[in-house]
Coordinates of all heavy atoms in Angstrom, one line a residue:
M1 N -4.3 153.0 0.3 CA -3.6 152.5 1.5 C -3.7 153.5 2.6 O -3.7 154.7 2.4 CB -2.1 152.3 1.1 CG -1.3 151.9 2.3 SD 0.5 151.7 2.1 CE 0.6 150.6 0.8
V2 N -3.9 152.9 3.8 CA -3.9 153.8 5.0 C -2.7 153.4 5.8 O -2.4 152.3 6.1 CB -5.2 153.5 5.8 CG1 -5.1 154.2 7.2 CG2 -6.4 153.8 5.0
I3 N -1.9 154.4 6.2 CA -0.8 154.3 7.1 C -1.2 154.9 8.4 O -1.5 156.1 8.5 CB 0.5 154.9 6.6 CG1 0.8 154.3 5.2 CG2 1.6 154.8 7.6 CD1 1.9 155.0 4.5
D4 N -1.3 154.1 9.5 CA -1.8 154.5 10.8 C -0.8 155.3 11.6 O 0.4 155.5 11.1 CB -2.4 153.4 11.6 CG -1.4 152.4 12.0 OD1 -0.2 152.7 12.1 OD2 -1.8 151.2 12.3
E5 N -1.1 155.8 12.7 CA -0.3 156.6 13.6 C 1.0 156.0 14.0 O 2.0 156.6 14.3 CB -1.1 157.1 14.8 CG -2.3 157.9 14.4 CD -3.3 158.0 15.5 OE1 -3.1 158.6 16.6 OE2 -4.4 157.3 15.3
S6 N 1.0 154.6 14.0 CA 2.2 153.9 14.4 C 3.1 153.6 13.2 O 4.2 153.1 13.3 CB 1.9 152.6 15.1 OG 1.3 151.7 14.2
G7 N 2.7 154.0 12.0 CA 3.4 153.8 10.8 C 3.1 152.5 10.1 O 3.7 152.1 9.0
Q8 N 2.1 151.7 10.6 CA 1.7 150.4 10.0 C 0.9 150.7 8.8 O -0.1 151.5 8.8 CB 1.0 149.6 11.0 CG 0.6 148.2 10.4 CD -0.1 147.3 11.5 OE1 -0.2 147.7 12.6 NE2 -0.5 146.2 11.0
S9 N 1.2 150.0 7.7 CA 0.4 150.1 6.4 C -0.8 149.2 6.4 O -0.7 148.0 6.9 CB 1.3 149.8 5.2 OG 2.3 150.7 5.1
H10 N -1.9 149.7 5.9 CA -3.1 148.9 5.8 C -3.6 149.0 4.3 O -4.4 150.0 4.0 CB -4.2 149.4 6.7 CG -3.9 149.4 8.1 ND1 -4.1 148.3 9.0 CD2 -3.2 150.4 8.9 CE1 -3.6 148.6 10.2 NE2 -3.1 149.8 10.2
P11 N -3.1 148.2 3.4 CA -3.5 148.3 2.0 C -5.0 147.8 1.9 O -5.5 147.0 2.6 CB -2.6 147.3 1.3 CG -2.1 146.4 2.3 CD -2.1 147.1 3.7
F12 N -5.7 148.5 0.9 CA -7.1 148.1 0.6 C -7.2 147.7 -0.8 O -6.7 148.4 -1.7 CB -8.0 149.3 0.9 CG -8.3 149.4 2.4 CD1 -7.5 150.2 3.2 CD2 -9.5 148.8 2.9 CE1 -7.8 150.3 4.5 CE2 -9.8 148.9 4.3 CZ -8.9 149.7 5.1
T13 N -7.8 146.6 -1.1 CA -8.0 146.2 -2.5 C -9.4 146.8 -2.9 O -10.2 147.3 -2.1 CB -8.1 144.7 -2.6 OG1 -9.3 144.2 -1.9 CG2 -6.9 144.0 -2.1
A14 N -9.6 146.8 -4.2 CA -10.8 147.3 -4.8 C -12.0 146.5 -4.2 O -13.1 147.1 -3.9 CB -10.8 147.2 -6.3
K15 N -11.8 145.2 -4.0 CA -12.9 144.4 -3.5 C -13.2 144.8 -2.0 O -14.4 144.9 -1.7 CB -12.5 142.9 -3.5 CG -13.5 142.0 -3.0 CD -13.1 140.5 -3.1 CE -14.3 139.6 -2.6 NZ -14.0 138.2 -2.6
Q16 N -12.2 145.0 -1.2 CA -12.4 145.5 0.2 C -13.2 146.8 0.2 O -14.1 147.0 1.0 CB -11.1 145.6 0.9 CG -10.5 144.2 1.2 CD -9.1 144.4 1.8 OE1 -8.3 145.2 1.2 NE2 -8.8 143.7 2.9
I17 N -12.8 147.7 -0.7 CA -13.5 149.0 -0.7 C -14.9 148.8 -1.2 O -15.8 149.5 -0.7 CB -12.7 150.0 -1.6 CG1 -11.3 150.4 -0.9 CG2 -13.5 151.3 -1.8 CD1 -10.4 151.2 -1.7
S18 N -15.1 147.9 -2.1 CA -16.5 147.7 -2.6 C -17.4 147.2 -1.5 O -18.6 147.3 -1.6 CB -16.5 146.8 -3.8 OG -16.2 145.5 -3.4
Q19 N -16.8 146.5 -0.5 CA -17.6 146.0 0.6 C -18.0 147.0 1.7 O -18.8 146.7 2.5 CB -16.9 144.8 1.2 CG -16.8 143.6 0.2 CD -15.9 142.5 0.7 OE1 -15.0 142.7 1.6 NE2 -16.0 141.3 0.1
L20 N -17.4 148.2 1.6 CA -17.7 149.2 2.5 C -19.0 149.9 2.0 O -19.4 149.8 0.9 CB -16.6 150.3 2.6 CG -15.3 149.9 3.2 CD1 -14.2 150.9 3.0 CD2 -15.5 149.5 4.7
P21 N -19.8 150.5 3.0 CA -21.0 151.2 2.5 C -20.7 152.3 1.5 O -19.8 153.0 1.7 CB -21.6 151.8 3.8 CG -20.9 151.1 4.9 CD -19.6 150.6 4.4
H22 N -21.4 152.3 0.4 CA -21.3 153.3 -0.7 C -22.4 154.3 -0.6 O -23.5 154.0 -0.2 CB -21.2 152.6 -2.0 CG -19.9 152.1 -2.4 ND1 -19.3 151.1 -1.7 CD2 -19.1 152.4 -3.4 CE1 -18.1 150.9 -2.3 NE2 -18.0 151.7 -3.3
H23 N -22.0 155.5 -1.0 CA -22.9 156.7 -0.9 C -22.8 157.4 -2.2 O -21.8 157.4 -2.9 CB -22.6 157.6 0.3 CG -22.5 156.8 1.6 ND1 -23.6 156.6 2.3 CD2 -21.5 156.3 2.2 CE1 -23.3 155.9 3.4 NE2 -22.0 155.7 3.4
T24 N -23.9 158.1 -2.5 CA -23.9 159.0 -3.7 C -24.0 160.4 -3.3 O -24.8 160.7 -2.3 CB -25.1 158.6 -4.6 OG1 -24.9 157.2 -5.0 CG2 -25.1 159.5 -5.9
L25 N -23.3 161.3 -3.9 CA -23.2 162.7 -3.5 C -23.3 163.5 -4.8 O -22.6 163.2 -5.8 CB -21.9 163.0 -2.8 CG -21.6 164.5 -2.5 CD1 -22.5 164.9 -1.3 CD2 -20.2 164.6 -2.1
K26 N -24.2 164.5 -4.8 CA -24.3 165.5 -5.9 C -23.6 166.8 -5.4 O -23.8 167.2 -4.3 CB -25.7 165.8 -6.2 CG -26.4 164.6 -6.9 CD -27.8 165.0 -7.3 CE -28.4 163.8 -8.0 NZ -29.8 164.0 -8.5
A27 N -22.8 167.3 -6.3 CA -22.1 168.6 -6.0 C -22.2 169.5 -7.2 O -22.2 169.1 -8.3 CB -20.6 168.3 -5.6
K28 N -22.2 170.8 -6.9 CA -22.3 171.8 -7.9 C -21.1 172.7 -7.8 O -20.8 173.3 -6.8 CB -23.6 172.5 -7.8 CG -23.9 173.5 -8.9 CD -25.3 174.1 -8.8 CE -25.7 174.9 -10.0 NZ -27.0 175.4 -9.9
A29 N -20.4 172.9 -9.0 CA -19.3 173.9 -9.1 C -19.4 174.6 -10.4 O -19.6 173.9 -11.4 CB -18.0 173.1 -8.9
H30 N -19.3 175.9 -10.4 CA -19.3 176.7 -11.6 C -20.6 176.4 -12.4 O -20.5 176.2 -13.6 CB -18.1 176.4 -12.5 CG -16.8 176.7 -11.7 ND1 -16.4 178.0 -11.3 CD2 -15.9 175.8 -11.2 CE1 -15.3 177.9 -10.7 NE2 -14.9 176.6 -10.6
D31 N -21.7 176.3 -11.7 CA -23.0 176.0 -12.3 C -23.1 174.6 -13.0 O -24.0 174.4 -13.8 CB -23.4 177.1 -13.3 CG -23.6 178.4 -12.6 OD1 -24.1 178.4 -11.5 OD2 -23.2 179.5 -13.2
V32 N -22.2 173.7 -12.7 CA -22.3 172.4 -13.3 C -22.5 171.4 -12.1 O -21.7 171.3 -11.2 CB -21.0 172.0 -14.1 CG1 -21.1 170.6 -14.6 CG2 -20.9 173.0 -15.3
E33 N -23.6 170.6 -12.2 CA -23.8 169.6 -11.1 C -23.3 168.3 -11.6 O -23.5 167.9 -12.7 CB -25.3 169.5 -10.8 CG -25.6 168.7 -9.6 CD -27.0 168.7 -9.2 OE1 -27.4 169.7 -8.6 OE2 -27.7 167.7 -9.5
S34 N -22.6 167.6 -10.7 CA -22.0 166.3 -10.9 C -22.4 165.4 -9.8 O -22.7 165.8 -8.7 CB -20.5 166.4 -11.0 OG -20.0 167.2 -12.0
Q35 N -22.4 164.1 -10.1 CA -22.8 163.1 -9.2 C -21.6 162.1 -9.0 O -20.9 161.7 -10.0 CB -24.0 162.3 -9.7 CG -24.4 161.2 -8.7 CD -25.8 160.6 -9.1 OE1 -26.7 161.3 -9.3 NE2 -25.7 159.3 -9.3
F36 N -21.3 161.8 -7.7 CA -20.1 161.0 -7.4 C -20.6 159.8 -6.5 O -21.5 160.0 -5.7 CB -19.1 161.8 -6.7 CG -18.6 163.0 -7.4 CD1 -19.2 164.2 -7.3 CD2 -17.5 162.8 -8.3 CE1 -18.7 165.3 -8.0 CE2 -17.1 163.9 -9.1 CZ -17.7 165.2 -8.9
E37 N -19.9 158.7 -6.6 CA -20.2 157.5 -5.8 C -18.9 157.2 -5.1 O -17.8 157.2 -5.7 CB -20.7 156.4 -6.6 CG -21.0 155.2 -5.7 CD -21.5 154.0 -6.5 OE1 -22.3 154.1 -7.4 OE2 -21.1 152.8 -6.2
G38 N -19.0 156.8 -3.8 CA -17.8 156.4 -3.1 C -18.1 156.0 -1.7 O -19.2 155.7 -1.3
V39 N -17.0 156.0 -0.9 CA -17.1 155.7 0.5 C -16.8 156.9 1.4 O -16.0 157.7 1.0 CB -16.2 154.4 0.9 CG1 -16.7 153.2 0.1 CG2 -14.8 154.7 0.6
W40 N -17.3 156.9 2.6 CA -17.0 158.0 3.5 C -15.5 157.7 4.0 O -15.2 156.6 4.3 CB -17.9 158.1 4.7 CG -19.3 158.5 4.4 CD1 -20.4 157.8 4.9 CD2 -19.8 159.5 3.6 NE1 -21.6 158.4 4.4 CE2 -21.2 159.5 3.6 CE3 -19.2 160.5 2.8 CZ2 -22.0 160.4 3.0 CZ3 -20.0 161.4 2.1 CH2 -21.4 161.4 2.2
L41 N -14.7 158.7 4.0 CA -13.3 158.6 4.5 C -13.3 158.0 5.9 O -12.5 157.1 6.2 CB -12.6 160.0 4.5 CG -11.2 160.0 5.1 CD1 -10.3 159.1 4.3 CD2 -10.7 161.4 5.0
V42 N -14.2 158.4 6.8 CA -14.2 157.9 8.1 C -14.5 156.4 8.1 O -13.9 155.7 8.9 CB -15.2 158.7 9.0 CG1 -16.7 158.3 8.7 CG2 -15.0 158.4 10.5
D43 N -15.3 155.9 7.2 CA -15.5 154.4 7.2 C -14.3 153.7 6.8 O -14.0 152.6 7.3 CB -16.7 154.1 6.2 CG -18.0 154.5 6.7 OD1 -18.2 154.8 7.9 OD2 -19.0 154.6 5.8
L44 N -13.5 154.2 5.8 CA -12.3 153.6 5.4 C -11.3 153.6 6.5 O -10.6 152.6 6.8 CB -11.7 154.3 4.1 CG -10.5 153.7 3.6 CD1 -10.7 152.3 2.9 CD2 -9.8 154.6 2.6
L45 N -11.1 154.7 7.2 CA -10.2 154.8 8.3 C -10.5 153.9 9.4 O -9.7 153.2 10.0 CB -10.1 156.3 8.8 CG -9.5 157.3 7.8 CD1 -9.6 158.7 8.3 CD2 -8.1 156.9 7.4
Q46 N -11.8 153.8 9.7 CA -12.2 152.9 10.8 C -12.0 151.4 10.4 O -11.6 150.6 11.2 CB -13.7 153.1 11.2 CG -13.9 154.4 11.9 CD -15.4 154.7 12.2 OE1 -16.3 154.4 11.4 NE2 -15.6 155.3 13.4
A47 N -12.1 151.1 9.1 CA -11.9 149.7 8.6 C -10.4 149.4 8.8 O -10.0 148.3 8.9 CB -12.3 149.6 7.2
A48 N -9.5 150.5 8.8 CA -8.1 150.3 9.0 C -7.7 150.3 10.5 O -6.5 150.2 10.8 CB -7.3 151.3 8.3
G49 N -8.7 150.5 11.4 CA -8.4 150.5 12.8 C -8.2 151.8 13.4 O -7.9 151.9 14.6
I50 N -8.4 152.9 12.7 CA -8.3 154.2 13.2 C -9.6 154.5 14.1 O -10.7 154.3 13.6 CB -8.2 155.3 12.1 CG1 -7.1 155.0 11.1 CG2 -8.0 156.7 12.7 CD1 -5.7 154.9 11.7
T51 N -9.4 155.0 15.3 CA -10.5 155.2 16.2 C -10.9 156.6 16.3 O -10.0 157.5 16.1 CB -10.2 154.6 17.6 OG1 -9.0 155.3 18.1 CG2 -10.0 153.1 17.6
F52 N -12.1 156.9 16.5 CA -12.7 158.2 16.6 C -13.4 158.3 18.0 O -13.4 157.4 18.8 CB -13.7 158.5 15.4 CG -13.0 158.6 14.1 CD1 -12.6 157.5 13.4 CD2 -12.6 159.9 13.7 CE1 -12.0 157.7 12.1 CE2 -11.9 160.0 12.5 CZ -11.6 158.9 11.7
G53 N -14.1 159.4 18.2 CA -14.9 159.5 19.4 C -14.0 159.9 20.6 O -13.1 160.7 20.5
E54 N -14.3 159.3 21.7 CA -13.6 159.6 23.0 C -12.1 159.5 22.9 O -11.3 160.2 23.6 CB -14.1 158.7 24.1 CG -15.5 159.0 24.6 CD -15.6 160.4 25.2 OE1 -14.8 160.8 25.9 OE2 -16.6 161.1 24.8
S55 N -11.6 158.6 22.0 CA -10.1 158.4 21.9 C -9.4 159.5 21.2 O -8.2 159.6 21.1 CB -9.8 157.0 21.3 OG -10.2 157.0 19.9
L56 N -10.2 160.4 20.6 CA -9.6 161.4 19.7 C -9.5 162.7 20.6 O -10.1 163.7 20.3 CB -10.5 161.7 18.5 CG -9.9 162.4 17.3 CD1 -8.6 161.7 16.9 CD2 -10.9 162.4 16.2
R57 N -8.7 162.6 21.6 CA -8.5 163.7 22.5 C -7.0 163.9 22.8 O -6.2 163.0 22.4 CB -9.2 163.5 23.9 CG -10.7 163.5 23.7 CD -11.4 163.2 25.1 NE -12.8 163.2 25.0 CZ -13.6 163.8 25.8 NH1 -13.1 164.4 26.8 NH2 -14.9 163.8 25.6
G58 N -6.7 164.9 23.5 CA -5.3 165.2 23.9 C -4.4 165.3 22.6 O -4.8 166.0 21.7
N59 N -3.3 164.6 22.6 CA -2.4 164.6 21.5 C -3.0 164.2 20.2 O -2.7 164.7 19.1 CB -1.1 163.8 21.7 CG -0.2 164.4 22.8 OD1 -0.3 165.6 23.1 ND2 0.6 163.6 23.4
R60 N -3.9 163.2 20.3 CA -4.6 162.7 19.0 C -5.5 163.7 18.4 O -5.9 163.6 17.2 CB -5.4 161.4 19.4 CG -4.5 160.2 19.6 CD -5.2 158.9 19.5 NE -5.5 158.7 18.1 CZ -6.8 158.4 17.6 NH1 -7.8 158.3 18.5 NH2 -7.0 158.1 16.3
A61 N -5.9 164.8 19.1 CA -6.7 165.8 18.6 C -6.1 166.5 17.4 O -6.7 167.1 16.5 CB -7.2 166.8 19.6
A62 N -4.8 166.4 17.3 CA -4.0 167.1 16.2 C -3.8 166.2 15.0 O -3.1 166.6 14.1 CB -2.7 167.6 16.8
C63 N -4.3 164.9 15.1 CA -4.1 164.0 14.0 C -4.8 164.4 12.7 O -5.9 164.9 12.8 CB -4.5 162.6 14.4 SG -3.4 161.8 15.6
V64 N -4.1 164.1 11.6 CA -4.7 164.4 10.3 C -4.7 163.2 9.4 O -3.8 162.4 9.6 CB -4.1 165.6 9.6 CG1 -4.2 166.9 10.4 CG2 -2.6 165.3 9.3
A65 N -5.6 163.2 8.5 CA -5.5 162.2 7.4 C -4.9 163.0 6.2 O -5.5 164.0 5.8 CB -6.8 161.6 7.1
L66 N -3.9 162.5 5.6 CA -3.3 163.1 4.4 C -3.8 162.3 3.2 O -3.4 161.1 3.1 CB -1.8 163.1 4.5 CG -1.0 163.8 3.3 CD1 -1.5 165.3 3.2 CD2 0.5 163.7 3.5
V67 N -4.6 162.9 2.4 CA -5.3 162.2 1.3 C -4.6 162.6 0.0 O -4.5 163.7 -0.3 CB -6.8 162.5 1.3 CG1 -7.5 161.8 0.1 CG2 -7.5 162.2 2.6
D68 N -4.2 161.5 -0.7 CA -3.6 161.7 -2.1 C -4.6 161.3 -3.1 O -5.0 160.2 -3.1 CB -2.3 160.9 -2.2 CG -1.2 161.4 -1.3 OD1 -1.0 162.6 -1.2 OD2 -0.4 160.5 -0.8
A69 N -4.8 162.2 -4.1 CA -5.8 161.9 -5.1 C -5.1 161.3 -6.3 O -3.9 161.5 -6.5 CB -6.6 163.1 -5.5
A70 N -5.8 160.7 -7.2 CA -5.2 160.1 -8.4 C -4.6 161.1 -9.3 O -3.7 160.8 -10.1 CB -6.3 159.3 -9.2
D71 N -5.1 162.4 -9.2 CA -4.5 163.4 -10.1 C -3.4 164.2 -9.5 O -2.9 165.2 -10.0 CB -5.6 164.4 -10.5 CG -6.2 165.2 -9.3 OD1 -5.8 164.9 -8.1 OD2 -7.1 166.0 -9.5
G72 N -2.9 163.7 -8.3 CA -1.7 164.3 -7.7 C -2.1 165.3 -6.6 O -1.2 165.8 -5.9
Y73 N -3.3 165.6 -6.5 CA -3.8 166.6 -5.5 C -3.6 165.9 -4.1 O -3.9 164.8 -3.9 CB -5.3 166.9 -5.8 CG -5.8 168.1 -4.9 CD1 -5.4 169.4 -5.2 CD2 -6.7 167.8 -3.9 CE1 -5.9 170.4 -4.4 CE2 -7.2 168.9 -3.1 CZ -6.8 170.1 -3.4 OH -7.3 171.2 -2.6
R74 N -3.2 166.7 -3.1 CA -3.0 166.2 -1.8 C -3.6 167.2 -0.8 O -3.4 168.4 -0.9 CB -1.5 166.0 -1.5 CG -1.2 165.6 -0.1 CD 0.3 165.5 0.1 NE 0.7 164.2 -0.3 CZ 1.9 163.7 -0.3 NH1 2.9 164.4 0.3 NH2 2.2 162.5 -0.7
I75 N -4.3 166.7 0.2 CA -5.0 167.5 1.2 C -4.9 166.9 2.5 O -5.2 165.7 2.7 CB -6.4 167.9 0.7 CG1 -7.1 168.9 1.7 CG2 -7.3 166.6 0.6 CD1 -8.3 169.4 1.3
P76 N -4.6 167.7 3.6 CA -4.7 167.2 4.9 C -6.1 167.4 5.5 O -6.7 168.5 5.2 CB -3.7 168.0 5.7 CG -3.6 169.3 5.0 CD -3.9 169.0 3.5
I77 N -6.7 166.5 6.2 CA -8.0 166.6 6.8 C -7.9 166.2 8.3 O -7.5 165.1 8.6 CB -9.0 165.8 6.1 CG1 -9.1 166.1 4.6 CG2 -10.4 165.9 6.8 CD1 -9.9 165.2 3.8
A78 N -8.2 167.2 9.2 CA -8.1 166.9 10.6 C -9.2 165.8 10.9 O -10.3 165.9 10.5 CB -8.4 168.1 11.4
L79 N -8.7 164.8 11.7 CA -9.7 163.7 12.1 C -10.9 164.3 12.8 O -12.0 163.8 12.7 CB -9.0 162.6 12.9 CG -7.9 161.8 12.2 CD1 -7.4 160.7 13.1 CD2 -8.4 161.3 10.8
L80 N -10.6 165.3 13.6 CA -11.8 166.0 14.4 C -12.8 166.5 13.4 O -14.0 166.6 13.8 CB -11.2 167.0 15.3 CG -10.6 166.6 16.6 CD1 -10.1 167.8 17.4 CD2 -11.7 165.8 17.5
E81 N -12.4 167.0 12.2 CA -13.3 167.5 11.3 C -14.3 166.5 10.7 O -15.3 166.9 10.1 CB -12.6 168.2 10.1 CG -11.8 169.5 10.5 CD -11.1 170.1 9.3 OE1 -10.5 169.4 8.6 OE2 -11.2 171.3 9.2
I82 N -13.9 165.2 10.8 CA -14.8 164.2 10.2 C -15.3 163.2 11.3 O -15.9 162.2 10.9 CB -14.1 163.5 9.0 CG1 -12.8 162.8 9.5 CG2 -13.9 164.4 7.9 CD1 -12.2 161.9 8.5
D83 N -15.0 163.4 12.5 CA -15.3 162.5 13.6 C -16.9 162.6 13.8 O -17.4 163.6 14.1 CB -14.7 163.0 14.9 CG -15.0 162.1 16.1 OD1 -15.7 161.1 15.9 OD2 -14.4 162.4 17.2
P84 N -17.5 161.4 13.6 CA -19.0 161.4 13.7 C -19.5 161.8 15.1 O -20.6 162.2 15.2 CB -19.3 159.9 13.4 CG -18.2 159.4 12.7 CD -17.0 160.1 13.1
A85 N -18.6 161.7 16.1 CA -19.0 162.0 17.4 C -19.1 163.5 17.6 O -19.7 164.0 18.6 CB -18.1 161.4 18.5
T86 N -18.5 164.3 16.7 CA -18.4 165.8 16.9 C -18.9 166.6 15.8 O -19.1 167.8 15.9 CB -16.9 166.2 17.2 OG1 -16.1 165.8 16.1 CG2 -16.4 165.5 18.5
T87 N -19.2 166.0 14.6 CA -19.7 166.7 13.5 C -20.5 165.9 12.6 O -20.4 164.7 12.6 CB -18.5 167.3 12.7 OG1 -18.9 168.2 11.6 CG2 -17.6 166.2 12.1
D88 N -21.3 166.6 11.7 CA -22.1 165.8 10.7 C -21.4 166.0 9.4 O -21.9 165.6 8.3 CB -23.5 166.3 10.7 CG -23.7 167.8 10.4 OD1 -22.6 168.5 10.3 OD2 -24.8 168.2 10.3
K89 N -20.2 166.6 9.3 CA -19.5 166.8 8.1 C -18.9 165.4 7.7 O -18.6 164.6 8.5 CB -18.3 167.8 8.2 CG -18.8 169.2 8.5 CD -17.6 170.1 8.6 CE -18.0 171.5 9.0 NZ -16.8 172.3 9.2
A90 N -18.8 165.2 6.3 CA -18.3 164.0 5.8 C -17.5 164.2 4.6 O -17.7 165.2 3.9 CB -19.4 163.0 5.5
V91 N -16.5 163.4 4.4 CA -15.6 163.5 3.2 C -15.9 162.2 2.4 O -15.7 161.1 2.9 CB -14.1 163.6 3.5 CG1 -13.3 163.6 2.3 CG2 -13.9 164.9 4.3
L92 N -16.2 162.3 1.1 CA -16.5 161.2 0.2 C -15.2 160.9 -0.6 O -14.7 161.8 -1.2 CB -17.7 161.5 -0.7 CG -18.1 160.3 -1.6 CD1 -18.9 159.3 -0.8 CD2 -18.9 160.8 -2.8
L93 N -14.7 159.7 -0.5 CA -13.7 159.3 -1.4 C -14.3 158.7 -2.6 O -14.9 157.6 -2.6 CB -12.8 158.2 -0.7 CG -12.0 158.7 0.5 CD1 -11.2 157.5 1.1 CD2 -11.0 159.8 0.1
A94 N -14.3 159.5 -3.7 CA -15.1 159.1 -4.9 C -14.3 157.9 -5.6 O -13.2 158.0 -5.9 CB -15.2 160.2 -5.8
V95 N -15.0 156.8 -5.8 CA -14.5 155.7 -6.5 C -15.1 155.5 -7.8 O -14.7 154.7 -8.6 CB -14.6 154.4 -5.6 CG1 -13.7 154.5 -4.4 CG2 -16.0 154.1 -5.3
L96 N -16.2 156.2 -8.0 CA -16.9 156.1 -9.3 C -17.5 157.5 -9.7 O -18.2 158.1 -8.9 CB -18.1 155.1 -9.2 CG -18.9 155.0 -10.5 CD1 -18.1 154.5 -11.6 CD2 -20.1 154.0 -10.2
V97 N -17.1 158.0 -10.8 CA -17.7 159.2 -11.3 C -18.4 158.8 -12.6 O -17.8 158.5 -13.6 CB -16.5 160.2 -11.7 CG1 -17.1 161.5 -12.2 CG2 -15.6 160.5 -10.5
P98 N -19.8 158.8 -12.5 CA -20.5 158.2 -13.6 C -20.3 159.0 -14.9 O -20.3 158.4 -16.0 CB -22.0 158.4 -13.1 CG -21.9 158.4 -11.7 CD -20.6 159.1 -11.4
Q99 N -20.1 160.3 -14.8 CA -20.0 161.1 -16.1 C -19.1 162.2 -15.8 O -19.3 163.0 -14.8 CB -21.3 161.6 -16.6 CG -21.3 162.4 -17.8 CD -22.6 162.9 -18.2 OE1 -23.6 162.7 -17.6 NE2 -22.7 163.6 -19.4
I100 N -18.1 162.4 -16.6 CA -17.2 163.6 -16.6 C -17.3 164.3 -17.9 O -17.2 163.7 -18.9 CB -15.7 163.2 -16.3 CG1 -15.6 162.4 -15.0 CG2 -14.8 164.4 -16.4 CD1 -14.2 161.9 -14.7
R101 N -17.6 165.6 -17.8 CA -17.8 166.4 -19.0 C -17.0 167.6 -18.9 O -17.1 168.4 -17.9 CB -19.3 166.8 -19.1 CG -19.7 167.4 -20.3 CD -21.2 167.6 -20.4 NE -21.5 168.8 -21.1 CZ -22.6 169.4 -21.1 NH1 -23.6 168.9 -20.4 NH2 -22.8 170.5 -21.8
L102 N -16.0 167.7 -19.8 CA -15.2 168.9 -19.8 C -15.6 169.8 -20.9 O -15.9 169.4 -22.0 CB -13.7 168.5 -20.0 CG -13.1 167.5 -19.0 CD1 -11.7 167.1 -19.4 CD2 -13.1 168.2 -17.6
I103 N -15.7 171.1 -20.6 CA -16.1 172.1 -21.6 C -15.1 173.1 -21.7 O -14.6 173.7 -20.7 CB -17.5 172.7 -21.1 CG1 -18.5 171.7 -20.9 CG2 -17.9 173.8 -22.1 CD1 -19.8 172.2 -20.3
N104 N -14.6 173.3 -22.9 CA -13.7 174.4 -23.2 C -14.4 175.6 -23.7 O -15.2 175.4 -24.6 CB -12.6 174.0 -24.2 CG -11.6 173.0 -23.7 OD1 -11.3 173.1 -22.5 ND2 -11.1 172.2 -24.5
S105 N -14.2 176.7 -23.1 CA -14.9 177.9 -23.7 C -13.9 178.9 -24.1 O -12.8 179.1 -23.4 CB -15.9 178.5 -22.6 OG -15.1 178.9 -21.5
V106 N -14.1 179.6 -25.2 CA -13.1 180.5 -25.7 C -13.7 181.9 -25.6 O -14.8 182.2 -25.7 CB -12.8 180.2 -27.2 CG1 -11.9 181.2 -27.7 CG2 -12.3 178.8 -27.3

């Protein structure tokens, strides 16, 4: 669900998210490479009517997206940090993790 700056809720179904462009990302942490599939956060926000570019100035420059993960993790992300008009950085909202491998070492 996306709650916009005016407080209006924009719920998204799995079907709606599946219709957004999907991307695959490989990431490496602690010498383990994983592959994730999902949608860019900016695409989801734009689908909810959040605007970027020229309108992201003045007071709106301080706007953040507060992202809650399924595992309870929460992180704020400044909209300017993911604005396609100002950066090539992107945040992937992973909707599919093809393989999760947990290793316990003693």
Side-chain angles (χ1 to χ4, degrees):
M1 175 182 306
V2 174
I3 301 173
D4 66 23
E5 297 158 73
S6 68
Q8 183 178 356
S9 297
H10 303 270
F12 281 88
T13 65
K15 182 178 180 180
Q16 289 171 311
I17 292 173
S18 73
Q19 293 170 341
L20 293 172
H22 275 61
H23 305 275
T24 300
L25 175 73
K26 290 184 179 180
K28 188 173 185 178
H30 306 288
D31 295 324
V32 176
E33 188 172 284
S34 300
Q35 182 171 302
F36 303 92
E37 181 182 318
V39 299
W40 296 133
L41 175 58
V42 71
D43 290 343
L44 182 70
L45 294 175
Q46 287 176 324
I50 307 299
T51 58
F52 290 85
E54 289 296 319
S55 69
L56 199 54
R57 294 178 179 226
N59 290 340
R60 286 198 72 233
C63 287
V64 299
L66 185 58
V67 179
D68 292 321
D71 63 359
Y73 189 75
R74 175 180 278 183
I75 184 169
I77 301 169
L79 296 187
L80 280 175
E81 290 181 315
I82 60 170
D83 182 0
T86 61
T87 185
D88 59 355
K89 294 179 184 175
V91 173
L92 184 77
L93 294 178
V95 294
L96 178 62
V97 181
Q99 179 181 3
I100 297 177
R101 188 173 147 195
L102 301 176
I103 301 171
N104 287 332
S105 59
V106 178

